Every structure is written in C-alpha cells, then in structure tokens.
Amino acid sequence: MRKLEKMKVIESVKRLCLDANFTLNGNILKKISSFKHTEESPIGKKILSQIEENSSIANTEKKPLCQDTGLVVVFLEMGKVIVDFDIYDAINEGVRRAYKEGYLRNSTLKHPLNRENTGDNTPAVVHTKLINADHIKITVAPKGGGSENMSRLKMLTPAEGYQGVKDFVLETVTIAEGKTCPPIIVGVGIGGNFEKSAILAKEALMRDIDDSSNDEIAKKLEKELLTEINNIGIGPMGFGGSTTALAVKVNTYPCHIAALPVAVNLQCHSARHKSVIL
C-alpha cells in the first residue's frame, strides 16, 4: 500500500481552494453562453454577459469570482492508502493557507450563536467515504451563504410522491427568487433519511453540469424541473427572464416505507468545485 504524504494533502487542498475561487468550470461557462443565446430578456442577456466578463477577470487577475468565498465543503474519498497523520488537520491547514495567501474572505464562525470569526475560514465541513481504490480523491467546494440559506429539506409523506417532490422543488426556487444569484444549479436529494437526503443534494451539485442521472425516473424529473423552473420567470439575478436555472441534478437513495425525504440544495452561478486524485 502506498503511503500518503501530509504536505501533498495540504498543498493540494490549498491549490483547490484557490482554483475554485478564481476559476469557473469551462462547461459551466459554455452552459451560460448557451442560455444567453436563448434568453429573451435584454437585461437577462446583459447580466449573463456580465457573469462571463466577471469570470474572465477573476481567472486572469486571480481574484475571487464572488466576494463570498464560502464555507469550505470537502468530499473526501479514502482508498487503500497508509495515512500516519490526522488527515482532517491536513485538510484544514490547506484551507487555512489558501485563505491567507489568496486574501480570501474569512466567513467561518467559531460558534453559530456568539458569531465570533475563526479568522482563517476553518474548519471545513468534511464528508468522508471509503472507496475500493489505491488512491484518495479530494473535492473542494467553497459554498456561498446566499444560495445555501435558501436551501430547504422536507419530510414528505409517501402519498405525495413524484408530484409532491416536484412541487417542493418549485416552491423552494420560487421562494428564493433572486436571493440565490441565479442562474442557479439545483441539487435535489431524494430518499435515505433526514440527513442522507441533504448530503445527496449537496453531492448532486458536484456532478458535471452536462450529465444526467442514470436512473430513468430521476432523469425525467431533472428534465421536467429544469423546464418548469425556467418558466417561473425569475431570470438572471432575479430581474426576470427565462434563465433561472442552468441545470437540475437529482440523486436518489433507498428509504423507509413510511418516508419520502427531499432536500433541495441551491447553488449560485459561481458553482465552485475542484477535485484532485492523490
């Protein structure tokens, strides 16, 4: 088995944090450009062009895409490697260095009620999964507060079914209006239990912007929801138009016979996440 180096983890997390904050994924930019050509609202078109311009400036000048540089979420996939150090400490050290060296805003509090800032944007929120591989994969996703605040979870009754899920997602997007800085990506987690549905929704946001679910029911739901969300008329940054969402991603998991958990995790147009395999 291969031994993992602590400094490799620290430096990789630092680089991922910086890259994610400075550079928007190319496929997302292509999707924005595609929607710009079909957007009928003049102000909507202008805003989409400004998003493209903002992305170009951020990438060229190594400046944050958004002033909200996020609470760092990390998806850690652990394979069969030797780790003789605290990997969570290493991840947090990488975050700490990135936010200091990149002059990124510190948005993390020591306690949710006394509101004292940690001063270095740690600790990260880390989700760990064991995988059958000879490597580890680290995905870093700085998540802004605006879109996260408008995300919701509901325990539906099984009788509410497919239509109940759709209604809840559409209601969530409608309530959010422009507060999520649309065009958004909508992550939907269905099944599992209370906490599992929320993680499913967050994981859905890590998927490629152009993919679709392998599950036929979820795939159908993704397509229908994208059309219906864009028919609401919220538009870019909430100023009206047909481009409210760039994509809808639905992840599912088995659940209890008496339950139908649904979580909706909204993501602004700065859909920042980067990955590395070590």
Side-chain angles (χ1 to χ4, degrees):
M1 289 174 62
R2 186 168 55 88
K3 184 177 179 180
L4 194 64
E5 297 177 18
K6 182 177 181 179
M7 280 305 302
K8 193 93 168 181
V9 173
I10 293 172
E11 287 300 315
S12 295
V13 170
K14 182 183 82 170
R15 180 175 54 81
L16 290 173
C17 286
L18 293 171
D19 287 350
N21 271 293
F22 298 156
T23 308
L24 198 56
N25 183 286
N27 288 340
I28 294 173
L29 285 171
K30 288 178 183 177
K31 186 71 74 172
I32 290 171
S33 177
S34 173
F35 273 96
K36 186 175 71 173
H37 290 104
T38 59
E39 177 58 64
E40 297 179 359
S41 164
I43 191 169
K45 280 184 179 291
K46 183 176 182 180
I47 290 169
L48 294 175
S49 293
Q50 289 173 337
I51 290 172
E52 291 176 319
E53 182 184 5
N54 178 74
S55 174
S56 176
I57 293 170
N59 184 44
T60 301
E61 298 187 9
K62 302 306 175 189
K63 300 286 178 63
L65 287 155
C66 176
Q67 80 278 4
D68 183 350
T69 53
L71 175 70
V72 178
V73 179
V74 176
F75 288 94
L76 173 63
E77 299 178 39
M78 288 292 301
K80 292 177 282 187
V81 296
I82 297 171
V83 181
D84 62 356
F85 57 91
D86 188 323
I87 196 164
Y88 301 113
D89 282 349
I91 288 171
N92 281 317
E93 180 59 26
V95 172
R96 187 176 293 112
R97 294 185 185 191
Y99 278 72
K100 181 180 180 180
E101 294 177 24
Y103 300 100
L104 305 178
R105 192 181 83 181
N106 296 320
S107 302
T108 306
L109 304 177
K110 291 181 181 179
H111 192 285
L113 297 181
N114 71 17
R115 315 303 290 177
E116 182 183 352
N117 202 296
T118 64
D120 58 12
N121 220 55
T122 67
V125 176
V126 184
H127 302 290
T128 306
K129 181 185 294 184
L130 300 180
I131 58 172
N132 184 22
D134 61 355
H135 62 257
I136 72 167
K137 181 178 180 181
I138 303 172
T139 298
V140 167
K143 189 69 164 66
S147 58
E148 193 78 351
N149 284 347
M150 301 311 297
S151 301
R152 300 166 76 211
L153 188 153
K154 187 175 183 180
M155 304 299 289
L156 301 181
T157 64
E160 290 175 274
Y162 186 92
Q163 189 60 47
V165 171
K166 283 184 66 176
D167 290 345
F168 179 62
V169 176
L170 292 169
E171 178 186 75
T172 299
V173 174
T174 302
I175 290 171
E177 296 180 316
K179 299 182 185 72
T180 51
C181 297
I184 58 175
I185 299 171
V186 182
V188 182
I190 308 171
N193 56 3
F194 185 87
E195 75 274 11
K196 180 65 174 180
S197 63
I199 293 189
L200 288 170
K202 183 77 74 183
E203 287 176 334
L205 295 175
M206 302 302 112
R207 287 169 44 190
D208 187 277
I209 190 76
D210 290 320
D211 79 359
S212 56
S213 176
N214 294 323
D215 177 274
E216 287 303 316
I217 299 174
K219 183 177 180 179
K220 178 173 179 283
L221 186 58
E222 289 174 345
K223 185 176 180 181
E224 291 177 357
L225 279 171
L226 181 60
T227 298
E228 294 182 37
I229 287 169
N230 284 331
N231 284 338
I232 294 172
I234 295 169
M237 299 304 289
F239 286 103
S242 59
T243 312
T244 300
L246 300 174
V248 177
K249 305 295 180 182
V250 178
N251 284 4
T252 64
Y253 195 84
C255 69
H256 192 280
I257 56 172
L260 180 53
V262 184
V264 182
N265 199 193
L266 302 179
Q267 171 62 60
C268 70
H269 62 266
S270 286
R272 302 164 295 186
H273 55 87
K274 301 287 181 177
S275 300
V276 68
I277 291 176
L278 300 177

